Amino acid sequence: MPRDLADMPGQGLDAFFGADGIAIVGASDDITKIGGRPIHLLKKYGYRGPIYPVNPRGGEIQGLTAYPSVRDLPTAPDLAILVVPATATADALRDCAARGVRGAVVLSSGFGEAGPDGQALQDELLGIARDAGMRLLGPNCLGSFSVANGVIGSFSIVLEDSMPKAGNVGIVSQSGNIGSFIVQNVALRGLGVSHFIATGNEADVDVADGIAALARDAQTGVILCCMETCRDGGRLTQALDLARANGKPVIVLKIGETESGQAAAASHTGALAGSDAVIDAVLRRHGALRVRSIEALLEMGHTASILGRDRLPKGKRVTLVAASGGFGIMMADAATKAGLDLPPLSDATKARINEAVPTAGTNNPVDASAQMSSRPDILYKMLSALIEEPDTDATLLFLSLSLYNKRLRGVYLEALARIRESHPDRLLAVISAGPADAVAEINALGIPVFAGIDAAANGLAGLSRLTGPGGDAVRWTGESLPVDPAVFRNENAAKKALAEIGVGILPEATVQSADEAVQAADAMGYPVVLKILSEDIPHKTEAGGVALNLGDGDAVRAAHDRILNSARSHVPGARIDGVLVTPMAGAGTELIMGVSRDPVFGPVVMVGMGGIFAEVLGDVALEPAPVTPAQADAMIRSLKMFPILDGARGRERGDVAAAARTLSALSEFACRHADDVAEIDLNPVLVRAEGQGVVALDALMIPHAKV
Amino acid sequence: MPRDLADMPGQGLDAFFGADGIAIVGASDDITKIGGRPIHLLKKYGYRGPIYPVNPRGGEIQGLTAYPSVRDLPTAPDLAILVVPATATADALRDCAARGVRGAVVLSSGFGEAGPDGQALQDELLGIARDAGMRLLGPNCLGSFSVANGVIGSFSIVLEDSMPKAGNVGIVSQSGNIGSFIVQNVALRGLGVSHFIATGNEADVDVADGIAALARDAQTGVILCCMETCRDGGRLTQALDLARANGKPVIVLKIGETESGQAAAASHTGALAGSDAVIDAVLRRHGALRVRSIEALLEMGHTASILGRDRLPKGKRVTLVAASGGFGIMMADAATKAGLDLPPLSDATKARINEAVPTAGTNNPVDASAQMSSRPDILYKMLSALIEEPDTDATLLFLSLSLYNKRLRGVYLEALARIRESHPDRLLAVISAGPADAVAEINALGIPVFAGIDAAANGLAGLSRLTGPGGDAVRWTGESLPVDPAVFRNENAAKKALAEIGVGILPEATVQSADEAVQAADAMGYPVVLKILSEDIPHKTEAGGVALNLGDGDAVRAAHDRILNSARSHVPGARIDGVLVTPMAGAGTELIMGVSRDPVFGPVVMVGMGGIFAEVLGDVALEPAPVTPAQADAMIRSLKMFPILDGARGRERGDVAAAARTLSALSEFACRHADDVAEIDLNPVLVRAEGQGVVALDALMIPHAKV
């Protein structure tokens, strides 16, 4: 199976999840050993296909006939589990290929993680698998199992005592330990698992394969993913798009920072684009929900599993209700911090609430008083009013520790069951810290229960992002075109290329002498700016190569000689193309715009406030390129300093629309010339008053060879 | 008991926690009614003193002799619980006063929370209590109880089934419902409670009283507090200082925002000082730990209760250890986000770890591999090495779900018990989500268990703040002196007053004509600035009353007339004191400094980056005044934009020390003249290069009458 970007990820993973016949190469009689455990587990949980222990000694292993080689097996197993030493694995894998095995799990370690020799062994495995059209999971992984189909290719501790309950939660994790931890917690929460896959070194099968396979799987409703690194951005985004198209929420915990994967950046703007921020943007753009802790992964996953795709919150409007004002205040604080909106209730809803509970305060949060839980019908009536309020996406009910009280537990469970039955499509969530059996009963009704106020607020806010408008990820489909190499040579050429795609620039002239400079300035009108032009001096200001605000010919003449001398002394031997003359730009607000190349996700477009604020405050927005003008507009508006462009404190409003068009055009330019251009740095871009456009005052392009 | 600021809070609360004799006024035979419940609870839990039901009908109530009035009681009870209607409460309280009752709990509602009539009734109660030297709890409160002494003055639902276990957690809450919720959760966590007090409307006894009483109480080790509002800043800080002096950690959940309490601010800087931020600063300065959710309150309280004052983390250096690298990465991410430091291990420690666990990775986090839990002695040896590492404040061990495995549970519990015994003073904390009985066993060893990675990281970071250096809250003890009323009149007079306390200002002259302006400018040297001087024009720029960078006499002459005309047309009838002439200030970085008056905590000093950044970014630091130069320095360094003052991107370093001295002097000035000056606004303060000081380029003072 040759792989390229056109390959859809997730193909051929049925060999792991639905294998008909499983060989264990390196099989052992000792059920505590890695070579013995999978056989033991397959037998224990009643795997229905043939189990073939493979061991050169032959004979019987765990009561099953053992074969000296996979080549000797009576039928071709779909799946082979390889637990032989690293150096013996390639031969074993060749045997698998020869016998027609479709998928191989290499549980053994000693490969890429162990250094260059191990990497060579790993590359050999990959070659064998590719040649044979066989999928390879691992090496150095915990393997996979399918609860739904009783297929086990793993020695995970989670299978030691019992098989997890079958259910709709699919789990994919690079780390086997974290994957196992997720399975255990999912089971402890009373949820069921569809399939589990731990990808380890990812020689072949990667997280994208796992996501895509689960996205296509009928038994999977929600996909929980723990990633450490992403090696292939295209495959990941394809998998995420597939999951989204198939209505499967993907919740991702990305652990660690991947600074090492970030290319050293020659330009300032490039240095601001950390790859963690890029992954963040990619996940968001492709409809996955990124969480920041394993607790959040479990809580969001639990809720999504209960709600299914259709009942996830469609927006951020929540109504809050508690039996006491104090709890309402805490809920309102948490909801506001989480970015949820608390719309006021309609008069009709207020009246209905007070009909049920005369003492209730009917602001949002509703202060329902202890009266609400005096009888199930009263609680039902009040909750019905709230849940039918048209302008809301979710209702959140705080239960204090009421479920520990027998009478109140009865009242709540009856009312909640009735609400779930009468309003099957509406979203009601509950906050309760226990007891566990009562929480399980409410969950079983299809009503999610959050353990705490913050968890509930963050959970609803997060889950609402899973249902945002689809299709906002733009994929660049055009081919890469060559760019005129002159753009890498100096500012003037770079700007001309950008002007062709609609980026505003000022008139400018390249001159070779002080006289020419004065002539050009006279023609343009004063004041003017002079800048050194040299591909060896990318940072002109630092080299004394810029003179601003020159008011007359004498000033221009003096500045011309000064900046030439300064540039020559700063960068001896610099190839100098001349001096650029351009008018002073006038008033406006400065942005910086740039493109850098993420080693995994390709061109990334960035915008930040100009001056040193982008750097000091980290006030930048970035997205994988290309972006539409609307997306570029949203990026600009997301800056903390955006109010400065938006007329804060009586300032003139900037031409944000023109800035967004420029950013979008820049992102398309970067995609069109992705093979040539590694980085672009427009610093600054002057945003003039509304309707008056923007101009790029400087431009720097860096070719791939130089990065 | 007359109250003023000199009164130490918490006096006389022994009447609530240790009452000898309790009267219930409005007593009922029905144990489900508020008038019946306290009697029922006192009997049920074996209160040892006399219980006196009071009811005009007399006879017997719940088997006890009932008296028509408190005046008729055979002995004077320390405590009276009042549950009569609001309108009858004053008379009942007078009876209590006459009989020598020392503390009264008014459980009834219908007072301040019900409007002006209720407030009048409440004020009447307070007057009666003050005249009699009696402490009054409530009205409209859930009352109090002491687990240690079996004293109950409450009808809280938490007492329905059983009395909480006695222990070292003291609880004070304005909201009775939240207070009860805290008690229930504390009990569910297996902790014991000393005393509970819910303050309701706080006519007399307030949260500060509760904190101070618990701070003096021998049975209380940690104080959990839920506040909605603070009405008296002086009493709160006294109570917090007392708790700190007595070694009792105070953990505060402040719910809701108190915008209504914020004085409308006439100056820009004042408007930035929200009272929630002030409470934040006050709590920090006085050694209390503010938490942002009830879950954090419970988790921090639990940990503090287990650790006691002496074993709280002394700093932010933690060593992390898990059986798998993936969990280590997650712990490192969470610890870093929480502001903890991860020092590298010493070579000696690394060697000892590898002696115990040869496969362990010895970075921090330690990747200890599953080998660490193979035997208790191996785990003990590895943990000993880590916990003895000298440059750490805490060791954090991740247990995955190992405690669910019987063998591993045995290994962990044995090793942890040995560690606790051999290293009683060191801090080891554990992360485990269960099972509950194993978690309880570890907690019982004196080893705190956090349920999740984020909770552990935030918990350790938070608790380390409780042990920071004491005494950093400066109390202004000088008397308030009058200020020359001229400072309110114009910039010139305000600056002169500030110059006397060491604030740098430029030379300036007040002129009455264009000729005088030119004369003054000639004497100072060009370029100069002209500004209108008028107490009716506090915001000069907006009124066209400022002209900058005037290069010669002609420019000065023109500007003089222009700004006079502009000011007159903007503010017709403005009283104009003249025009100020001052030199242009030259280069530097602009700060804004200001003082505003918090209605509860008094003068608050503020610093932010100049221009519109303070406002757009909310990039300001504030503290209750006064601040020392060192505290002022810390405020300036806490600004997000501080790198701009600190030489970011090749800029010249600013004179931060001088800025700090100025801010400190300003804060002292505000305290010295607190009765006169409501707000001060220095905008901007120009910070020149290191060693060259700062100058206030504008100054505005606003007297109390004007705020």
Side-chain angles (χ1 to χ4, degrees):
Chain A
M1 183 180 295
R3 178 195 288 184
D4 59 43
L5 276 182
D7 255 356
M8 268 307 282
Q11 311 260 16
L13 263 64
D14 55 317
F16 300 94
F17 296 143
D20 181 10
I22 301 176
I24 299 87
V25 186
S28 165
D29 237 353
D30 183 344
I31 66 166
T32 67
K33 291 207 166 145
I34 298 182
R37 283 181 60 81
I39 302 170
H40 171 68
L41 295 170
L42 285 163
K43 288 174 64 186
K44 178 173 176 178
Y45 297 117
Y47 173 63
R48 285 185 301 250
I51 308 172
Y52 297 125
V54 174
N55 190 304
R57 286 193 297 271
E60 262 201 7
I61 288 179
Q62 297 190 38
L64 301 168
T65 304
Y67 299 85
S69 159
V70 173
R71 294 180 194 256
D72 305 324
L73 299 182
T75 63
D78 281 343
L79 180 64
I81 304 168
L82 277 61
V83 289
V84 295
T87 48
T89 304
D91 282 345
L93 193 63
R94 276 189 205 96
D95 294 344
C96 293
R99 190 64 188 89
V101 167
R102 295 173 48 234
V105 183
V106 180
L107 301 179
S108 321
S109 55
F111 293 91
E113 84 286 0
D117 292 352
Q119 184 63 47
L121 290 175
Q122 181 171 318
D123 293 344
E124 190 182 355
L125 297 190
L126 179 61
I128 296 165
R130 289 278 157 86
D131 289 346
M134 182 167 54
R135 296 308 304 261
L136 171 68
L137 180 59
N140 186 34
C141 75
L142 197 68
S144 61
F145 58 83
S146 161
V147 178
N149 306 327
V151 174
I152 297 167
S154 175
F155 58 101
S156 171
I157 192 170
V158 299
L159 303 173
E160 183 156 313
D161 294 326
S162 61
M163 187 70 139
K165 195 171 75 174
N168 70 349
V169 180
I171 295 158
V172 50
S173 175
Q174 277 176 274
S175 156
N177 280 314
I178 295 176
S180 294
F181 185 75
I182 295 169
V183 173
Q184 284 176 293
N185 275 286
V186 162
L188 279 174
R189 286 170 168 266
L191 295 173
V193 174
S194 58
H195 313 289
F196 167 89
I197 186 163
T199 54
N201 286 11
E202 298 194 336
D204 173 31
V205 173
D206 63 6
V207 160
D209 279 307
I211 291 171
L214 294 170
R216 286 204 201 86
D217 175 58
Q219 285 140 342
T220 301
V222 53
I223 299 167
L224 303 192
C225 173
C226 178
M227 283 172 61
E228 288 176 44
T229 52
C230 176
R231 295 174 181 84
D232 187 328
R235 287 170 55 79
L236 179 66
T237 57
Q238 276 182 299
L240 294 176
D241 290 350
L242 181 67
R244 185 167 194 157
N246 291 1
K248 310 282 169 82
V250 181
I251 305 172
V252 179
L253 175 64
K254 162 85 176 54
I255 66 171
E257 306 288 313
T258 58
E259 283 167 10
S260 59
Q262 184 183 338
S267 66
H268 307 152
T269 51
L272 295 166
S275 60
D276 193 72
V278 177
I279 286 220
D280 213 56
V282 166
L283 292 174
R284 185 168 23 79
R285 285 276 289 278
H286 291 271
L289 173 60
R290 182 178 186 180
V291 290
R292 300 284 173 173
S293 73
I294 197 151
E295 292 84 13
L297 180 77
L298 293 165
E299 195 132 37
M300 302 271 195
H302 192 166
T303 309
S305 165
I306 288 174
L307 293 178
R309 182 78 186 183
D310 294 340
R311 282 200 301 141
L312 286 172
K314 309 282 182 296
K316 295 190 181 296
R317 302 165 307 173
V318 292
T319 52
L320 308 175
V321 56
S324 137
F327 294 116
I329 296 173
M330 289 197 284
M331 292 168 84
D333 281 352
T336 305
K337 278 188 270 176
L340 295 170
D341 297 325
L342 275 61
L345 300 178
S346 67
D347 289 343
T349 300
K350 289 181 176 189
R352 288 178 60 194
I353 290 171
N354 278 141
E355 209 175 288
V357 184
T359 54
T362 55
N363 290 323
N364 183 13
V366 175
D367 178 359
S369 83
Q371 208 183 350
M372 79 167 173
S373 52
S374 54
R375 288 204 319 263
D377 60 312
I378 290 176
L379 184 58
Y380 173 78
K381 206 168 163 185
M382 189 202 65
L383 288 175
S384 298
L386 271 172
I387 208 170
E388 288 169 19
E389 168 75 29
D391 290 334
T392 64
D393 301 301
T395 300
L396 186 57
L397 171 65
F398 183 81
L399 288 197
S400 180
L401 292 173
S402 310
L403 296 175
Y404 281 94
N405 178 296
K406 202 176 152 194
R407 184 187 72 77
L408 291 174
R409 174 176 174 155
V411 169
Y412 279 109
L413 276 162
E414 185 178 333
L416 292 173
R418 283 186 59 192
I419 279 284
R420 183 75 182 96
E421 200 174 340
S422 60
H423 299 78
D425 301 330
R426 300 291 291 173
L427 173 51
L428 171 68
V430 164
I431 301 172
S432 170
D437 59 339
V439 167
E441 266 191 77
I442 298 175
N443 277 330
L445 290 172
I447 295 175
V449 181
F450 293 95
I453 293 174
D454 279 0
N458 293 327
L460 290 178
L463 292 168
S464 73
R465 291 200 288 272
L466 281 167
T467 56
D472 55 355
V474 184
R475 211 177 275 282
W476 179 258
T477 51
E479 51 185 332
S480 180
L481 299 176
V483 74
D484 175 359
V487 298
F488 303 122
R489 191 150 155 196
N490 66 44
E491 175 184 345
N492 182 242
K495 279 186 191 157
K496 274 186 190 152
L498 291 169
E500 283 171 24
I501 58 161
V503 174
I505 60 169
L506 295 174
E508 53 189 35
T510 304
V511 299
Q512 302 299 338
S513 69
D515 285 341
E516 278 182 38
V518 174
Q519 244 176 337
D522 285 345
M524 283 173 193
Y526 292 90
V528 298
V529 175
L530 262 57
K531 302 195 227 179
I532 195 76
L533 274 187
S534 165
E535 64 189 302
D536 299 317
I537 306 176
H539 298 306
K540 296 175 276 285
T541 304
E542 285 82 340
V546 179
L548 299 174
N549 210 17
L550 305 169
D552 55 37
D554 288 348
V556 167
R557 190 174 301 277
H560 178 272
D561 296 345
R562 189 171 69 243
I563 67 176
L564 266 181
N565 289 336
S566 178
R568 283 189 183 121
S569 76
H570 264 80
V571 187
R575 293 160 291 179
I576 290 173
D577 297 332
V579 169
L580 197 71
V581 184
T582 182
M584 275 294 282
T589 302
E590 291 185 355
L591 290 178
I592 56 176
M593 296 183 183
V595 174
S596 64
R597 189 169 183 84
D598 185 89
V600 174
F601 295 99
V604 172
V605 63
M606 189 280 292
V607 63
M609 203 54 62
I612 63 177
F613 304 110
E615 190 165 346
V616 170
L617 295 170
D619 188 18
V620 298
L622 54 83
E623 288 284 346
V627 292
T628 64
Q631 288 168 339
D633 185 75
M635 289 172 72
I636 296 168
R637 285 173 194 276
S638 77
L639 297 174
K640 296 187 204 94
M641 299 286 281
F642 176 69
I644 286 178
L645 267 179
D646 199 36
R649 291 287 302 275
R651 290 168 72 104
E652 208 162 20
R653 268 223 169 77
D655 197 335
V656 176
R661 284 194 303 272
T662 300
L663 190 60
S664 172
L666 179 70
S667 76
E668 290 189 3
F669 180 91
C671 290
R672 185 173 302 118
H673 303 295
D675 287 351
D676 286 6
V677 180
E679 290 185 16
I680 309 175
D681 190 9
L682 308 191
N683 184 5
V685 174
L686 190 81
V687 183
R688 291 174 160 158
E690 222 166 10
Q692 293 174 36
V694 305
V695 281
L697 298 186
D698 197 354
L700 172 66
M701 293 198 199
I702 300 178
H704 275 291
K706 272 214 176 172
V707 174
Chain B
M1 182 180 294
R3 177 194 289 183
D4 59 43
L5 277 181
D7 255 355
M8 269 305 284
Q11 312 260 16
L13 263 65
D14 55 317
F16 301 95
F17 296 145
D20 180 10
I22 301 176
I24 300 89
V25 186
S28 165
D29 237 353
D30 183 344
I31 67 165
T32 68
K33 290 206 168 146
I34 298 182
R37 284 181 61 81
I39 302 171
H40 170 68
L41 295 170
L42 285 164
K43 288 175 63 185
K44 178 173 176 178
Y45 297 116
Y47 172 62
R48 284 184 301 251
I51 308 172
Y52 296 125
V54 174
N55 190 304
R57 285 192 298 269
E60 264 203 2
I61 288 178
Q62 298 189 40
L64 300 170
T65 304
Y67 298 85
S69 159
V70 173
R71 295 181 194 254
D72 305 325
L73 300 182
T75 63
D78 280 342
L79 181 65
I81 304 169
L82 276 61
V83 289
V84 295
T87 48
T89 303
D91 281 344
L93 193 64
R94 274 189 206 98
D95 293 344
C96 294
R99 190 66 188 87
V101 168
R102 295 173 49 234
V105 183
V106 181
L107 301 178
S108 321
S109 55
F111 293 92
E113 84 287 359
D117 291 352
Q119 185 62 48
L121 290 175
Q122 180 170 319
D123 293 344
E124 191 182 354
L125 298 190
L126 179 60
I128 296 165
R130 289 278 157 86
D131 288 347
M134 180 167 57
R135 296 308 304 261
L136 171 67
L137 180 59
N140 186 35
C141 75
L142 198 67
S144 59
F145 59 83
S146 162
V147 179
N149 306 326
V151 173
I152 298 168
S154 175
F155 57 100
S156 170
I157 191 168
V158 300
L159 303 173
E160 182 156 313
D161 294 327
S162 61
M163 188 72 141
K165 194 170 76 174
N168 70 350
V169 180
I171 295 158
V172 51
S173 174
Q174 278 178 269
S175 156
N177 281 315
I178 295 176
S180 295
F181 185 76
I182 295 169
V183 173
Q184 285 176 295
N185 275 286
V186 162
L188 280 172
R189 286 169 169 266
L191 296 173
V193 174
S194 57
H195 313 289
F196 168 89
I197 186 163
T199 53
N201 286 12
E202 299 195 336
D204 172 32
V205 172
D206 63 6
V207 160
D209 278 307
I211 291 171
L214 294 169
R216 285 204 201 87
D217 175 59
Q219 285 140 342
T220 301
V222 52
I223 300 167
L224 303 191
C225 173
C226 177
M227 284 172 60
E228 288 176 42
T229 52
C230 175
R231 294 173 182 84
D232 187 328
R235 286 170 57 79
L236 179 66
T237 57
Q238 276 183 299
L240 294 175
D241 291 349
L242 182 67
R244 185 167 194 157
N246 291 359
K248 309 284 170 80
V250 181
I251 306 173
V252 179
L253 175 64
K254 161 83 177 56
I255 66 171
E257 307 287 314
T258 58
E259 283 166 12
S260 59
Q262 185 183 337
S267 66
H268 307 149
T269 52
L272 295 166
S275 61
D276 192 72
V278 177
I279 287 221
D280 213 56
V282 166
L283 291 173
R284 185 167 25 78
R285 285 274 290 280
H286 292 270
L289 173 60
R290 182 179 185 178
V291 290
R292 300 285 174 173
S293 73
I294 197 152
E295 292 84 13
L297 180 76
L298 293 165
E299 196 132 35
M300 303 271 194
H302 192 166
T303 308
S305 165
I306 288 174
L307 293 179
R309 181 77 186 184
D310 293 340
R311 283 200 301 141
L312 286 172
K314 309 283 181 296
K316 292 189 183 297
R317 302 164 308 172
V318 292
T319 52
L320 308 174
V321 56
S324 138
F327 293 117
I329 296 172
M330 289 197 282
M331 290 168 85
D333 282 351
T336 306
K337 277 188 270 177
L340 295 170
D341 297 326
L342 274 63
L345 299 178
S346 67
D347 289 343
T349 300
K350 288 180 176 187
R352 288 179 62 194
I353 290 171
N354 278 141
E355 208 176 288
V357 184
T359 54
T362 54
N363 291 324
N364 182 14
V366 175
D367 178 358
S369 84
Q371 208 183 350
M372 79 164 173
S373 51
S374 54
R375 287 204 319 262
D377 59 312
I378 290 175
L379 184 57
Y380 174 77
K381 206 168 161 185
M382 189 201 64
L383 289 176
S384 297
L386 271 171
I387 208 170
E388 288 168 20
E389 168 77 26
D391 290 333
T392 64
D393 301 301
T395 300
L396 186 58
L397 170 65
F398 183 80
L399 288 197
S400 181
L401 291 174
S402 310
L403 297 175
Y404 281 94
N405 177 296
K406 202 176 152 194
R407 184 187 72 76
L408 291 174
R409 175 176 173 154
V411 170
Y412 279 109
L413 276 162
E414 186 178 332
L416 292 174
R418 282 186 58 193
I419 279 283
R420 183 73 180 99
E421 201 174 340
S422 60
H423 299 77
D425 301 330
R426 301 290 294 173
L427 173 51
L428 170 69
V430 163
I431 301 172
S432 169
D437 59 338
V439 168
E441 268 190 76
I442 298 174
N443 276 330
L445 290 173
I447 295 176
V449 181
F450 293 95
I453 293 173
D454 280 359
N458 293 327
L460 291 178
L463 292 169
S464 73
R465 291 200 288 272
L466 280 168
T467 56
D472 55 355
V474 184
R475 211 176 275 281
W476 180 258
T477 50
E479 50 185 333
S480 180
L481 299 176
V483 73
D484 176 358
V487 298
F488 303 122
R489 189 149 156 198
N490 67 43
E491 175 185 345
N492 183 240
K495 278 186 191 156
K496 275 185 190 154
L498 291 168
E500 283 171 24
I501 57 160
V503 174
I505 60 169
L506 296 175
E508 52 188 35
T510 304
V511 300
Q512 302 298 339
S513 70
D515 285 341
E516 278 181 37
V518 173
Q519 242 176 335
D522 284 344
M524 283 172 192
Y526 292 89
V528 298
V529 176
L530 263 56
K531 301 195 228 178
I532 195 76
L533 275 188
S534 165
E535 64 188 301
D536 298 318
I537 307 177
H539 299 305
K540 296 177 276 285
T541 304
E542 286 82 339
V546 179
L548 299 174
N549 209 17
L550 304 169
D552 55 36
D554 288 348
V556 166
R557 192 176 301 280
H560 178 272
D561 297 345
R562 191 171 67 244
I563 66 175
L564 266 182
N565 290 337
S566 177
R568 283 190 184 120
S569 76
H570 264 79
V571 186
R575 292 159 293 177
I576 290 171
D577 298 332
V579 169
L580 197 70
V581 183
T582 182
M584 275 294 281
T589 302
E590 291 185 356
L591 291 178
I592 55 175
M593 297 183 184
V595 174
S596 64
R597 189 169 183 82
D598 185 89
V600 174
F601 294 99
V604 172
V605 62
M606 191 278 293
V607 64
M609 203 52 65
I612 64 177
F613 303 111
E615 190 166 346
V616 169
L617 297 170
D619 188 18
V620 297
L622 54 83
E623 289 284 346
V627 291
T628 63
Q631 288 167 338
D633 184 75
M635 288 172 72
I636 295 167
R637 285 174 194 276
S638 77
L639 297 174
K640 297 186 203 99
M641 298 287 280
F642 175 70
I644 286 178
L645 267 181
D646 199 37
R649 292 288 301 278
R651 290 168 71 104
E652 209 163 18
R653 269 223 169 76
D655 197 337
V656 176
R661 284 193 302 274
T662 301
L663 190 60
S664 172
L666 179 70
S667 76
E668 290 188 4
F669 180 90
C671 289
R672 185 172 301 116
H673 303 295
D675 287 351
D676 285 7
V677 180
E679 293 184 13
I680 309 175
D681 190 10
L682 308 191
N683 184 4
V685 173
L686 190 80
V687 183
R688 290 174 160 158
E690 223 165 9
Q692 293 174 36
V694 304
V695 279
L697 298 185
D698 198 353
L700 173 65
M701 293 199 200
I702 300 178
H704 274 292
K706 270 215 177 169
V707 174

